[in-house]
């Protein structure tokens, strides 16, 4: 169980992701789609937590995760895509998923044990613009990341 104190607060980096075409997969072969989700969920949650993030919500095949910094979110995104790309899907007898991702950073608050704020809506809209295997980064995320890199 994740408690409120486990969530990053204030200016938070968000990684939103989903599997393109997952509904068609479920309609075509539900057992295979369930197996795909199990593997996908493990790969993404591992990459997210190993990079200091928290999965605060899942919606079907979508992951919504939060990070204290832009660099952690970016590293989790890269690690997630590499894990998906390098997984032995053939031995699992499953077609590899096409995961799209969006990165955004912004100020958020808590209400009813969940994040609220326009940053969530922006991250969701960016994700909806992404095509198969794309990672889209908002302007605010890019500038926050760039600013942090210049400090080091």
């Amino acid at each position: 169980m994740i408690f409120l104190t486990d969530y990053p607060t204030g200016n938070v980096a968000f990684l939103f992701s989903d599997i393109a075409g997952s509904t068609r997969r479920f309609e075509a072969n539900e057992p295979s789609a369930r197996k795909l989700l199990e593997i996908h969920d493990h790969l993404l949650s591992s990459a997210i937590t190993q990079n200091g993030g928290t999965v605060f919500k899942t919606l079907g095949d979508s992951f919504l995760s939060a990070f204290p910094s832009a660099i952690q979110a970016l590293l989790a995104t890269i690690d997630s895509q590499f894990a998906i790309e390098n997984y032995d899907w053939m031995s699992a007898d499953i077609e590899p998923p096409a995961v799209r991702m969006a990165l955004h950073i912004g100020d958020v608050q808590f209400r009813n044990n969940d994040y609220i704020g326009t940053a969530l809506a922006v991250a969701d809209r960016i994700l909806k613009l992404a095509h198969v295997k794309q990672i889209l980064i908002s302007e605010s995320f890019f500038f926050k990341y760039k600013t942090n890199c210049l400090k080091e």
Side-chain angles (χ1 to χ4, degrees):
M1 173 134 224
I2 296 174
F3 295 99
L4 208 55
T5 56
D6 295 333
Y7 289 63
T9 56
N11 196 250
V12 176
F14 291 101
L15 163 57
F16 284 17
S17 70
D18 75 356
I19 301 172
S22 63
T23 302
R24 286 188 299 279
R25 284 181 181 234
F26 266 93
E27 290 170 348
N29 185 341
E30 187 171 336
S32 176
R34 287 192 183 282
K35 188 175 179 182
L36 166 85
L37 275 182
E38 183 181 318
I39 296 166
H40 164 270
D41 291 0
H42 172 73
L43 295 174
L44 260 66
S45 58
S46 293
I48 290 165
T49 56
Q50 287 173 5
N51 284 287
T54 302
V55 177
F56 66 91
K57 191 177 291 184
T58 58
L59 303 166
D61 64 6
S62 296
F63 265 60
L64 285 66
S65 55
F67 297 81
S69 74
I71 187 68
Q72 289 171 295
L74 182 60
L75 291 172
T77 304
I78 294 166
D79 289 350
S80 296
Q81 289 289 4
F82 275 122
I84 292 164
E85 199 64 33
N86 293 318
Y87 187 81
D88 186 6
W89 296 100
M90 250 182 161
S91 71
D93 197 27
I94 300 173
E95 175 111 8
V99 178
R100 56 187 174 185
M101 298 181 167
L103 291 167
H104 180 64
I105 195 164
D107 291 323
V108 290
Q109 299 175 353
F110 280 109
R111 186 179 75 199
N112 298 326
N113 207 28
D114 199 0
Y115 283 115
I116 61 165
T118 57
L120 299 166
V122 172
D124 184 56
R125 287 185 185 120
I126 293 168
L127 179 62
K128 288 177 179 164
L129 293 172
H131 293 284
V132 174
K133 295 187 178 182
Q134 277 189 325
I135 301 168
L136 298 184
I137 299 173
S138 71
E139 184 177 26
S140 62
F141 185 93
F142 173 77
F143 284 114
K144 183 71 168 187
Y145 173 77
K146 184 178 171 183
T147 302
N148 287 344
C149 286
L150 291 175
K151 288 179 185 177
E152 295 177 4

